[in-house]
């Protein structure tokens, strides 16, 4: 059993085509959306006894806070000087949680190899209201499969 404080930073940008009314024939705008998230979690960990001589299962989970921001802009793709919708960046604080599980294998007394899966719910994210007096709002979550090597001093 163990406890820890984890910090995560997430930053992504998505660009693409806006399909008005869901129709590819009305693909007149290009969009640019930016998303950032800072998260802090208080996590707990539990480990099984060794089996197959050197392998242990582990589970973890935690609760915390996230600070999420998003912005959105689109422009008419045939004449980019014609402005489109602009929804500025807005940062909101949300409750967050995570959980995961995996395997740890001891290669030697001081070296471990681990594989695992984690799910992160970072809460809500939204843009500011922009030129159309509307905002984009949606839940932010991520899933991660990972592998690593650790050295125990």
């Amino acid at each position: 059993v163990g406890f820890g404080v984890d910090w995560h930073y997430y930053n992504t940008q998505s660009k693409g085509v806006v399909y008005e009314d869901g129709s590819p024939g009305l693909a007149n705008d290009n969009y640019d959306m930016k998303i950032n998230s800072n998260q802090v979690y208080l996590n707990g960990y539990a480990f099984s006894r060794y089996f197959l001589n050197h392998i242990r299962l582990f589970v973890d989970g935690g609760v915390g806070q996230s600070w999420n921001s998003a912005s959105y802009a689109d422009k008419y793709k045939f004449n980019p000087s014609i402005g489109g919708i602009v929804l500025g960046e807005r940062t909101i604080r949300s409750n967050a949680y995570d959980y995961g599980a995996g395997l740890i294998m001891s290669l030697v007394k001081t070296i471990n190899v681990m594989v695992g899966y984690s799910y992160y719910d970072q809460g809500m994210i939204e843009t500011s209201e922009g030129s159309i007096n509307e905002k984009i709002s949606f839940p932010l979550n991520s899933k991660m499969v990972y592998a690593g090597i650790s050295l125990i001093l």
Side-chain angles (χ1 to χ4, degrees):
V1 175
F3 296 95
V5 175
D6 293 348
W7 170 74
H8 301 267
Y9 176 72
Y10 175 78
N11 178 347
T12 190
Q13 182 174 8
S14 179
K15 294 183 177 194
V17 176
V18 176
Y19 296 108
E20 296 174 33
D21 297 324
S23 172
L26 295 174
N28 298 323
D29 297 327
N30 290 325
Y31 75 89
D32 182 4
M33 184 165 196
K34 297 175 184 169
I35 297 172
N36 292 292
S37 182
N38 270 295
Q39 308 133 44
V40 177
Y41 298 94
L42 177 60
N43 279 340
Y45 306 90
F47 302 90
S48 72
R49 294 178 184 248
Y50 285 101
F51 64 94
L52 298 175
N53 295 328
H54 301 289
I55 298 175
R56 293 190 294 172
L57 296 170
F58 71 89
V59 295
D60 65 74
V63 295
Q65 293 285 296
S66 66
W67 292 263
N68 304 319
S69 64
S71 64
Y72 174 90
D74 65 33
K75 292 188 177 185
Y76 186 59
K77 72 179 181 180
F78 301 109
N79 185 353
S81 65
I82 297 174
I85 298 170
V86 176
L87 305 175
E89 185 175 40
R90 178 172 183 216
T91 301
I92 59 171
R93 189 174 95 181
S94 292
N95 292 325
Y97 66 89
D98 70 323
Y99 59 83
L103 296 170
I104 298 176
M105 183 172 123
S106 296
L107 297 179
V108 294
K109 189 173 183 172
T110 59
I111 298 177
N112 290 330
V113 174
M114 72 169 37
V115 296
Y117 167 84
S118 291
Y119 173 83
Y120 300 95
D121 185 316
Q122 295 107 316
M124 293 300 292
I125 190 166
E126 62 186 41
T127 64
S128 67
E129 291 185 4
S131 55
I132 58 171
N133 293 325
E134 293 287 332
K135 61 186 174 187
I136 298 172
S137 179
F138 55 93
L140 183 62
N141 58 61
S142 58
K143 301 160 189 83
M144 178 174 62
V145 175
Y146 60 89
I149 296 175
S150 62
L151 176 63
I152 301 168
L153 301 175

